[in-house]
Amino acid sequence: MSLRITFSTAARILRQLRHDRRTVGLLVAVPAVLLTLLYYMFDNAGGTFDRIALVMLGVFPFVIMFLVTSIAMLRERTSGTLERLLTTPLGKLDLLFGYGLAFGLAAAVQATVAVAAAYLLLGLDTVGNAGLVVLIAVVNAVLGVALGLFCSAFARTEFQAVQFLPVVVIPQLLLCGLFVPRAQMAGWLQAVADVLPLSYAVEALAQVGAHPDPTTTMWRGLTVVAGAAVVALVLAAATLRRRTP
C-alpha cells in the first residue's frame, strides 16, 4: 500500500463529496437535527437526554457513514469507475483506506458540528471532555465506513446495499447497551453483544459521561472499535470486485 496513492484517493473522494450538496447536508446537518428532536422528546425528563444524546453522538455517525459509503462504493463499481481505477497503480487497500481517510475527515466535521450543537445549544452535560466524544464519534464513523465498504461487495443494487442496514447495524444498536445494560441481558445475548464493536463504542462514551479523565475502559473500547475498523477494511479489500454485472 502506498501512502501517496492513498492520500490522492482520499483527495479525489473529498472533491466529489464537496460537489454533492445533498450528501454534505446529510453528513453535517442531520445528526444535529436528530439531536434536537431528542432534546424535545426528553424535555423535563431529568438526565435522560444527557445519557441518550451522548450515545447517539457515536451512533449517528456510524449509521450515516455505513449508508453513504456502501452506496458510494456500489456506484463506483456499477458505473465501471472502479474497474478503470484498478487498471492504474491504485491497489484495493489504497482505495479502501483512501475511502476511510476521506470519510474520516468528513466524520470529524460531522462530529464537531453535532457535539457543538449538543453542548452549546442543547445543554448536554457530561463529566468528561467533549473532545473525547468527538474522537470516539470519528472512530465510530470510520467503523461505519469500513463495514459499509465490506457489505457493498455483496450487493448488486443500491436497494440491496440498503438491506444490509437492518442486518449489520440495527442488531448492534439493539444490543449495544443503550436500551438494556449488557449485564442484564440473557447470557447468549450478552455473549453476542460482547463481540459487537458498537458495544465498545457505547461503553467508551459512557466512560466519558461518568469520569472527568480518560479511563482504561474508555481506551480499551476505542482500541477495539479502531481494530474492528481496520479488520473490516482488510476484509473489504479481500472481497472487493472490480465490477458488478
Side-chain angles (χ1 to χ4, degrees):
M1 188 177 75
S2 167
L3 288 178
R4 182 181 62 81
I5 296 177
T6 299
F7 289 140
S8 297
T9 302
R12 175 183 69 84
I13 295 166
L14 287 173
R15 285 194 298 270
Q16 292 176 341
L17 190 60
R18 185 183 61 186
H19 296 295
D20 189 346
R21 294 181 180 179
R22 191 175 302 176
T23 301
V24 171
L26 173 68
L27 294 178
V28 176
V30 168
V33 172
L34 293 176
L35 286 170
T36 303
L37 178 63
L38 282 175
Y39 175 79
Y40 286 104
M41 284 174 58
F42 295 105
D43 193 22
N44 299 321
T48 304
F49 170 74
D50 289 341
R51 182 179 68 85
I52 294 181
L54 179 61
V55 174
M56 288 297 117
L57 283 169
V59 169
F60 287 152
F62 172 74
V63 175
I64 292 172
M65 289 300 183
F66 177 91
L67 184 61
V68 169
T69 52
S70 59
I71 293 175
M73 177 55 73
L74 183 65
R75 286 181 177 175
E76 290 216 322
R77 213 169 65 237
T78 54
S79 66
T81 302
L82 180 59
E83 190 172 25
R84 292 191 296 272
L85 286 172
L86 291 180
T87 61
T88 69
L90 176 71
K92 291 182 178 180
L93 281 177
D94 295 316
L95 175 68
L96 296 177
F97 276 86
Y99 258 89
L101 177 60
F103 281 100
L105 292 173
V109 176
Q110 178 193 60
T112 301
V113 171
V115 169
Y119 279 87
L120 301 179
L121 299 180
L122 304 178
L124 177 64
D125 184 28
T126 58
V127 176
N129 192 291
L132 293 173
V133 179
V134 173
L135 175 62
I136 297 169
V138 171
V139 175
N140 219 31
V142 174
L143 174 64
V145 170
L147 290 176
L149 293 172
F150 174 61
C151 292
S152 71
F154 304 98
R156 292 193 171 195
T157 65
E158 292 181 14
F159 181 65
Q160 289 182 358
V162 172
Q163 288 177 338
F164 280 100
L165 192 68
V167 175
V168 176
V169 173
I170 292 181
Q172 295 198 63
L173 182 59
L174 294 175
L175 298 177
C176 69
L178 173 62
F179 301 103
V180 178
R182 284 187 289 156
Q184 296 179 15
M185 295 179 184
W188 66 275
L189 274 181
Q190 185 177 349
V192 173
D194 287 346
V195 299
L196 298 177
L198 189 60
S199 299
Y200 294 91
V202 170
E203 186 177 59
L205 287 166
Q207 291 293 305
V208 175
H211 300 279
D213 298 314
T215 64
T216 302
T217 302
M218 190 215 79
W219 288 121
R220 184 194 67 179
L222 195 61
T223 301
V224 170
V225 175
V230 173
V231 170
L233 284 172
V234 173
L235 290 175
T239 56
L240 182 65
R241 292 176 290 175
R242 290 173 177 263
R243 189 178 180 89
T244 296

